[in-house]
Amino acid sequence: MSLVIVGSLAFDTIETPHFRKEKIIGGSCSYSALAASYFSPPKIVAVIGEDFPQEIMDLFHSRGIDTRGVKTEAGKTFHWQGRYGHDPNQRTTIKTELNVFKDFKPQLIPEYRTADIVFLGNIDPDLQDDTLKQVQKPKLVAMDTIQLWIQSKLDSLLEVLAKVDIFFANDEEVKLIAQESNLIKAGKALLAKGPSLIIIKKGEHGALLMGRDYVFGVLAYPCETVVDPTGAGDSFGGGFLGYLDKVGAFSQENIRKAAVYGSVMASFTIEEFSIDRLKALTAAEIESRYQEFKNLVTF
Ligand code: AMP
């Protein structure tokens, strides 16, 4: 099978109550592609400026990630600045400098158009839609988003939502789109808008999968030190879809396992800043944490 991911490649400036890190590597695509690469190397669609480090492109290549869909444009790479309070689930966007992202139009090369799985990572919903229009008959389409698009481009977002199979969102986002304060009712309302599965990410409380005829919950890994929560959601999505791409069948059992692998990848990401933990994992570390997740809910 094959997995195409569209998303952002970025510099992030991150502030936590203990640290400030200037212009470290971020972006929805960086996290999701690296997380997926431990299961099945994805093809990525994104834009970078001339200042994006070659060593990161080399890292992507060394992980088998196909970067032919990454365009380099004159100018600076997208830059996002965020701040976390003492509660790592609460973050504020301080600054968003679109830079080369401003004129980005995703262009899929022919080899990408036959993808089996498409992950529309967090970018402008109009760009997610442009990407989707270029893919022929994918077997599975998933999308992610953030509050910015719910508040500024709800109509476009709902248009894409109607075309996807899986919607990743956090609990606040689900409630905001559905205009409903009960999470389960909100999830059901979104299921009625098109997707057959809503994956609600609940930060340190794990994730809830709401299908048409089942609900599945996965705990988050009990992390004592959360260094930088950025990218947890993207890593979840990348791990989840990378696993499904590897196994090639979307049975409920595989979807449940994929959710655990997604949680495993997210739990590694938050242990370090940026992609530092995600870039050099071993299959043994991933399997051992998967087993720990299993033990958490065995009784
Ligand atoms: P997550 O923590 O998984 O929600 O994703 C965080 C990543 O999203 C950061 O590395 C940012 O660079 C990226 N990001 C933030 N805002 C945007 C945006 N408006 N468009 C695309 N990517 C963004």
Side-chain angles (χ1 to χ4, degrees):
M1 298 248 295
S2 65
L3 166 64
V4 163
I5 300 177
V6 59
S8 54
L9 292 176
F11 287 120
D12 288 349
T13 295
I14 306 293
E15 293 173 31
T16 73
H18 311 289
F19 303 96
R20 178 186 163 91
K21 290 272 179 183
E22 228 26 87
K23 292 189 97 180
I24 52 180
I25 296 299
S28 52
C29 199
S30 308
Y31 288 108
S32 51
L34 282 172
S37 73
Y38 288 92
F39 305 95
S40 176
K43 304 176 191 313
I44 59 174
V45 182
V47 64
I48 53 176
E50 289 152 326
D51 54 353
F52 196 79
Q54 182 56 41
E55 84 189 62
I56 302 299
M57 297 305 283
D58 294 343
L59 165 72
F60 291 157
H61 297 147
S62 74
R63 296 248 14 104
I65 297 169
D66 183 339
T67 63
R68 285 174 299 165
V70 178
K71 271 197 120 184
T72 307
E73 297 288 0
K76 285 185 180 173
T77 298
F78 173 66
H79 178 209
W80 175 77
Q81 186 172 343
R83 180 186 295 147
Y84 295 90
H86 285 281
D87 175 356
N89 296 313
Q90 295 296 325
R91 89 170 160 212
T92 315
T93 291
I94 308 290
K95 211 179 345 176
T96 299
E97 292 168 356
L98 289 177
N99 301 331
V100 292
F101 227 135
K102 206 162 37 208
D103 302 311
F104 179 48
K105 285 263 167 282
Q107 280 289 333
L108 270 59
I109 58 171
E111 293 89 324
Y112 282 38
R113 291 174 189 237
T114 51
D116 297 297
I117 303 184
V118 180
F119 184 20
L120 307 170
N122 160 37
I123 51 169
D124 183 325
D126 288 331
L127 300 184
Q128 292 180 319
D129 204 31
D130 281 350
T131 307
L132 203 47
K133 283 180 181 146
Q134 298 173 51
V135 193
Q136 305 153 7
K137 288 207 188 145
K139 296 191 175 93
L140 188 79
V141 180
M143 79 179 277
D144 196 357
T145 196
I146 51 170
Q147 244 184 49
L148 171 72
W149 309 121
I150 302 171
Q151 278 153 352
S152 63
K153 287 202 160 182
L154 186 59
D155 289 346
S156 302
L157 193 148
L158 291 175
E159 227 172 274
V160 190
L161 190 67
K163 298 179 190 170
V164 307
D165 304 293
I166 300 179
F167 181 52
F168 293 103
N170 66 34
D171 38 10
E172 277 175 26
E173 292 159 356
V174 171
K175 291 176 185 173
L176 192 63
I177 300 173
Q179 292 290 301
E180 164 60 58
S181 59
N182 178 286
L183 187 62
I184 305 304
K185 282 189 186 158
K188 283 189 175 169
L190 296 201
L191 279 172
K193 293 189 189 296
S196 52
L197 182 65
I198 310 290
I199 301 189
I200 308 171
K201 299 170 286 183
K202 294 159 68 66
E204 62 182 333
H205 305 298
L208 190 66
L209 278 67
M210 287 184 66
R212 294 249 159 82
D213 52 7
Y214 71 98
V215 176
F216 174 62
V218 50
L219 288 177
Y221 184 71
C223 279
E224 232 171 281
T225 344
V226 178
V227 174
D228 173 11
T230 312
D234 307 314
S235 306
F236 183 102
F240 181 94
L241 295 171
Y243 177 75
L244 287 183
D245 195 48
K246 176 179 152 188
V247 294
F250 315 136
S251 64
Q252 195 185 124
E253 188 188 340
N254 286 343
I255 284 180
R256 287 173 185 243
K257 284 185 182 162
V260 177
Y261 277 114
S263 306
V264 165
M265 302 316 283
S267 76
F268 283 123
T269 292
I270 64 178
E271 286 179 353
E272 298 279 357
F273 276 103
S274 182
I275 52 172
D276 288 358
R277 186 76 174 99
L278 207 52
K279 67 185 179 195
L281 287 167
T282 62
E285 282 176 307
I286 293 170
E287 280 316 307
S288 142
R289 193 159 288 188
Y290 179 82
Q291 198 52 49
E292 285 183 67
F293 267 86
K294 246 185 156 172
N295 295 343
L296 267 179
V297 289
T298 304
F299 56 89

